[in-house]
């Protein structure tokens, strides 16, 4: 049972954040736009282009409200509309040059507010805030998904090849890392190529993949490659979760299956490669005994970042 004092503290803090960030006002982020419009423009920047239906799901607003808002943004010159290459009946929306300039100003304002607040904390407090907000936001989204899809079944973990696996895991990686960390086609192609090669080696007893399944759809994955490193070491690869599954324990179930497999086969060590921005994943890895063994500046995923190697003996 959740501690009632924690619930009250979070509710008080949430109300204070709503006020201090300006959500009580008619406009937001030093613009003439409402909070819903500001969020729409930011999502357009993050995802490149979206349909009206996709925005309805992302924002959690009524279809009619989103339609009216988008019509106004097109008329104001903030958005551009084009036919989808897959289906001409579907309209794709993206930022116009004017819209990109508006988003630049919104981001500058938002960054200034965040930096000002962070400067009132020490480094450890900053990390706690960053990690805590990320986990709490994911949990809130998962709750909305539960309300929106009451028929949604429980997540089950299965092992082995599943039709569509390579494409779906690649899609989850490509979408998440483009949105959150600005990785591009180089990274997505590398994921697809690696998965295709690994899938051809799944018959080897030291290789296995686990999939989180919900309503017949893959919503998470992790794999153990027992061949590519040699020296009787295992390689943990392609750990990813669908947005709606984060914070619900699915990732822990996947890693637990993978570690059980490694222990049964008595690998001398399990290695994984990641980078320093994935704090939630790092905490999960560490809870299973992984320790940071190496850190360096690298570009194996197409961008120069602080890469990390974790080892579990």
């Amino acid at each position: 049972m959740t501690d009632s004092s924690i619930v009250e503290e979070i509710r008080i803090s949430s109300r204070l954040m709503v006020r201090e960030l300006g959500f009580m006002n008619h406009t937001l982020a030093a613009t003439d736009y409402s909070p819903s419009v500001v969020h729409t423009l930011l999502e357009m920047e993050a995802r490149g282009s979206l349909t009206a239906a996709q925005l309805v799901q992302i924002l959690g607003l009524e279809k009619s409200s989103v339609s009216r808002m988008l019509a106004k943004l097109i008329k104001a010159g903030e958005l551009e509309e084009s036919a989808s290459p897959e289906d001409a009946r579907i309209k794709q929306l993206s930022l116009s040059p004017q819209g990109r300039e508006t988003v630049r100003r919104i981001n500058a304002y938002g960054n200034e507010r965040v930096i000002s607040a962070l400067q009132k904390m020490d480094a450890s407090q900053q990390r706690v805030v960053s990690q805590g907000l990320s986990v709490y936001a994911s949990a809130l989204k998962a709750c909305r998904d539960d309300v929106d899809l009451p028929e949604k079944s429980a997540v089950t973990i299965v092992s082995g090849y599943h039709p569509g696996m390579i494409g779906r895991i690649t899609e989850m990686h490509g979408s998440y890392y483009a949105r959150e960390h600005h990785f591009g086609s180089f990274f997505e192609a590398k994921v697809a190529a690696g998965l295709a090669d690994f899938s051809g080696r799944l018959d080897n007893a030291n290789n296995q993949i686990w999939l989180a399944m919900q309503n017949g759809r893959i919503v998470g994955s992790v794999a153990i490659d027992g061949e590519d490193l040699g020296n009787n070491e295992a390689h943990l690869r392609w750990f990813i979760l669908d947005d709606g599954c984060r914070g619900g324990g699915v990732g822990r179930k996947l890693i637990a299956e993978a570690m059980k497999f490694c222990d049964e086969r008595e690998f001398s060590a399990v290695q994984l490669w990641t980078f320093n921005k994935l704090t939630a994943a790092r905490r999960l890895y560490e809870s299973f005994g992984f320790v940071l063994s190496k850190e360096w500046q690298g570009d194996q995923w197409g961008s120069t970042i602080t890469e990390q190697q974790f080892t579990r003996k």
Side-chain angles (χ1 to χ4, degrees), residues 21-309:
L21 291 173
F23 284 91
M24 300 292 287
N25 302 327
H26 293 298
T27 60
L28 185 66
T31 71
D32 294 327
Y33 291 133
S34 66
S36 59
V37 170
V38 171
H39 275 75
T40 296
L41 295 174
L42 291 173
E43 288 296 335
M44 286 292 181
E45 179 200 33
R47 299 170 190 255
S49 67
L50 290 167
T51 65
Q54 288 171 327
L55 271 171
V56 168
Q57 293 298 317
I58 292 167
L59 300 177
L61 298 175
E62 292 291 333
K63 182 178 179 180
S64 58
S65 299
V66 171
S67 295
R68 288 193 296 271
M69 175 179 64
L70 293 176
K72 291 178 180 178
L73 286 173
I74 293 169
K75 184 176 181 180
E78 303 284 7
L79 297 182
E80 296 176 337
E81 193 175 43
S82 61
S84 168
E86 288 81 20
D87 187 342
R89 295 170 298 179
I90 299 176
K91 300 300 182 182
Q92 291 286 142
L93 298 159
S94 58
L95 291 173
S96 66
Q98 175 185 317
R100 287 192 289 273
E101 173 59 22
T102 300
V103 169
R104 186 196 65 76
R105 294 196 301 270
I106 291 171
N107 284 329
Y109 176 85
N111 289 341
E112 181 182 347
R113 294 295 305 276
V114 172
I115 291 170
S116 296
L118 289 176
Q119 287 174 343
K120 299 184 182 298
M121 312 175 198
D122 60 34
S124 62
Q125 289 173 324
Q126 291 175 6
R127 286 192 294 271
V128 168
V129 169
S130 174
Q131 294 169 5
L133 282 174
S134 177
V135 172
Y136 185 52
S138 295
L140 284 174
K141 184 180 183 304
C143 291
R144 171 155 71 92
D145 291 340
D146 289 340
V147 172
D148 291 344
L149 300 171
E151 76 283 0
K152 187 165 61 176
S153 64
V155 175
T156 58
I157 308 298
V158 300
S159 62
Y161 174 78
H162 185 87
M165 175 184 81
I166 296 172
R168 174 60 178 150
I169 296 173
T170 300
E171 176 196 2
M172 287 190 291
H173 276 81
S175 297
Y176 175 78
Y177 286 99
R179 183 179 74 243
E180 299 295 332
H181 304 288
H182 309 294
F183 288 8
S185 60
F186 177 89
F187 169 75
E188 187 170 342
K190 191 167 184 176
V191 172
L195 274 166
D197 170 72
F198 178 74
S199 297
R201 300 187 281 112
L202 265 176
D203 289 340
N204 187 304
N206 284 336
N207 298 334
Q208 187 56 278
I209 191 164
W210 294 265
L211 307 171
M213 305 291 299
Q214 188 172 54
N215 291 339
R217 184 169 182 259
I218 297 172
V219 294
S221 68
V222 70
I224 292 294
D225 191 332
E227 294 181 285
D228 66 333
L229 299 182
N231 299 318
N232 194 37
E233 293 187 344
H235 184 184
L236 188 149
R237 310 181 74 178
W238 303 300
F239 177 50
I240 189 73
L241 295 173
D242 187 68
D243 289 344
C245 288
R246 293 192 177 91
V250 176
R252 178 167 294 278
K253 291 178 181 178
L254 285 167
I255 298 294
E257 290 290 339
M259 294 305 96
K260 179 183 176 183
F261 176 85
C262 291
D263 292 341
E264 289 174 348
R265 276 152 183 77
E266 299 181 343
F267 288 110
S268 60
V270 186
Q271 309 284 357
L272 68 87
W273 281 261
T274 182
F275 62 101
N276 66 332
K277 299 295 185 180
L278 305 180
T279 53
R282 173 174 180 161
R283 290 197 302 273
L284 181 57
Y285 297 144
E286 289 175 335
S287 73
F288 280 93
F290 282 92
V291 176
L292 179 65
S293 54
K294 188 177 179 182
E295 191 171 58
W296 68 99
Q297 291 295 112
D299 59 0
Q300 68 161 314
W301 288 298
S303 301
T304 300
I305 53 178
T306 303
E307 298 187 28
Q308 296 175 323
Q309 179 180 346

